Amino acid sequence: MMPSQSTRIVYIAGYGRSGSTILDIALGQHPAVIGAGEVTSLTRHVWRNNEYCACGHPIRDCSFWSTVLQEWSKGWDSTLMSEYGALQRKFEGLPMFIKILCGVGLGKQLAPYALHTKRLFDTMLLASDAQMIVDSSKLPGRAMALAQIPGIDMRVIHLVRDGRGVAWSLLKGYERDAKSGLQKEIKPRSVFRTALRWSIVNLAVEYLSRKLGRQKVMRVRYEDFASHPVALMQQIGAFLELDLSHIGSSLQDGHPIAPGHQVAGNRLRMDASIALNKDESWRTRMPAEQQVSFERLGGWMLKRYGYL
């Protein structure tokens, strides 16, 4: 039987290369929580391409996800996965985000997406024997869509990292290496592109916060999390009504943490043990002209988050 109570979701929203994977893994250390990674990708491409789970197995050989997808698909047509992917593209994108933000009612058209999304989450909870799911999909549009689903109790962590550090990270390209967590070639991104998208995505999460109510959204700066994990995990714990103090202390002491069954996300999820690292190498290695280039477009947002 599916659980009758509200399905509890912790959604990490924000821009890429901001530490969502390590925060997902850290929260997943709590016995009542399953850190699931970027759940939006599970039915979009992870299962179809048999990509790797953080447990080290291809997704179709993973004991957890193979059980979840088998149960989720039971009793439904074989086209469920592709049809659900189409629903995700429709309801989790920016156009639908803007419609909902502007008060446009979705009515019955949301029903299939809501049904299958909640079934998937509930199946995950049953398979993991957990009480709460961390979904680090980051997309503000997905968060807005999830917020429209009856029976989902969602809390959003708006994770922010200094955009110059994000831009420096995205200037590097990587060749495809599926087993190490790189499912496709990652091409370098220009500072201009990153500044624009970083600003837009974080601003969209702020609008999401206003729509959901500030009691359901907590902003976390990655630099604060990496520097003061005890204090930050206590604050996040209070927000989620969980005792996360032992996790914060472990991170503070430099003890590595082990991934669970995270899908997609940063390639570090494939490491057997991960230590929290602030990583501000951009301050000394990123050319000054590139930092200035980012500040010209995204400086107002950097000031907003206390980075300037």
Side-chain angles (χ1 to χ4, degrees), residues 90-224:
K90 178 178 180 180
F91 291 107
E92 296 179 4
L94 187 60
M96 193 60 66
F97 175 90
I98 295 173
K99 284 185 179 181
I100 299 173
L101 196 64
C102 294
V104 176
L106 300 182
K108 293 182 179 179
Q109 61 177 311
L110 183 70
Y113 172 82
L115 170 67
H116 295 308
T117 301
K118 190 170 187 303
R119 284 199 314 107
L120 178 58
F121 281 137
D122 287 343
T123 303
M124 291 165 60
L125 287 173
L126 285 172
S128 63
D129 198 29
Q131 301 168 21
M132 186 181 295
I133 297 168
V134 179
D135 179 351
S136 53
S137 296
K138 296 189 291 293
L139 303 171
R142 175 171 168 84
M144 184 70 89
L146 296 182
Q148 311 306 308
I149 299 177
I152 286 185
D153 176 10
M154 182 176 67
R155 297 292 182 271
V156 176
I157 296 176
H158 178 193
L159 185 62
V160 178
R161 181 187 175 193
D162 191 311
R164 293 164 294 187
V166 173
W168 174 243
S169 177
L170 288 170
L171 280 169
K172 309 163 194 171
Y174 297 93
E175 295 293 327
R176 181 181 182 275
D177 186 351
K179 196 165 186 178
S180 70
L182 292 171
Q183 305 302 326
K184 60 181 180 180
E185 178 187 1
I186 298 178
K187 297 181 179 180
R189 306 297 188 185
S190 72
V191 171
F192 177 84
R193 178 186 184 277
T194 299
L196 180 63
R197 293 170 68 92
W198 178 86
S199 300
I200 290 173
V201 168
N202 282 302
L203 196 59
V205 181
E206 291 196 34
Y207 282 120
L208 171 71
S209 173
R210 295 179 187 178
K211 182 73 174 180
L212 300 184
R214 299 191 183 278
Q215 74 280 4
K216 290 190 175 183
V217 183
M218 175 185 182
R219 184 181 300 155
V220 172
R221 298 198 324 171
Y222 178 73
E223 293 81 1
D224 297 334

Side-chain angles (χ1 to χ4, degrees), residues 163-164 167 171 189-196 198-199 282 286-300 302 308:
R164 293 164 294 187
L171 280 169
R189 306 297 188 185
S190 72
V191 171
F192 177 84
R193 178 186 184 277
T194 299
L196 180 63
W198 178 86
S199 300
W282 66 268
M286 186 178 187
E289 60 270 21
Q290 290 181 332
Q291 295 189 38
V292 171
S293 178
F294 187 97
E295 292 165 12
R296 283 176 179 157
L297 184 60
W300 66 288
L302 290 173
L308 282 181

Side-chain angles (χ1 to χ4, degrees), residues 20-22 24-25 35-47 50-55 57 59 65 135-138 178 180-184 259 261-270:
S20 60
T21 298
I22 185 73
D24 184 308
I25 293 170
E38 299 181 4
V39 182
T40 186
S41 299
L42 176 67
T43 45
R44 287 179 182 244
H45 56 79
V46 171
W47 184 262
N50 201 25
E51 297 173 13
Y52 278 83
C53 172
C55 70
H57 293 97
I59 196 75
W65 287 114
D135 179 351
S136 53
S137 296
K138 296 189 291 293
S180 70
L182 292 171
Q183 305 302 326
K184 60 181 180 180
H261 289 287
Q262 287 79 15
V263 294
N266 193 288
R267 66 190 186 283
L268 67 80
R269 76 186 190 283
M270 302 306 299

Side-chain angles (χ1 to χ4, degrees), residues 218 229-239 242-245 248-249:
M218 175 185 182
V230 172
L232 259 295
M233 292 305 279
Q234 287 177 343
Q235 293 172 26
I236 295 174
F239 176 60
L242 292 172
D243 181 5
L244 303 176
S245 57
S249 298

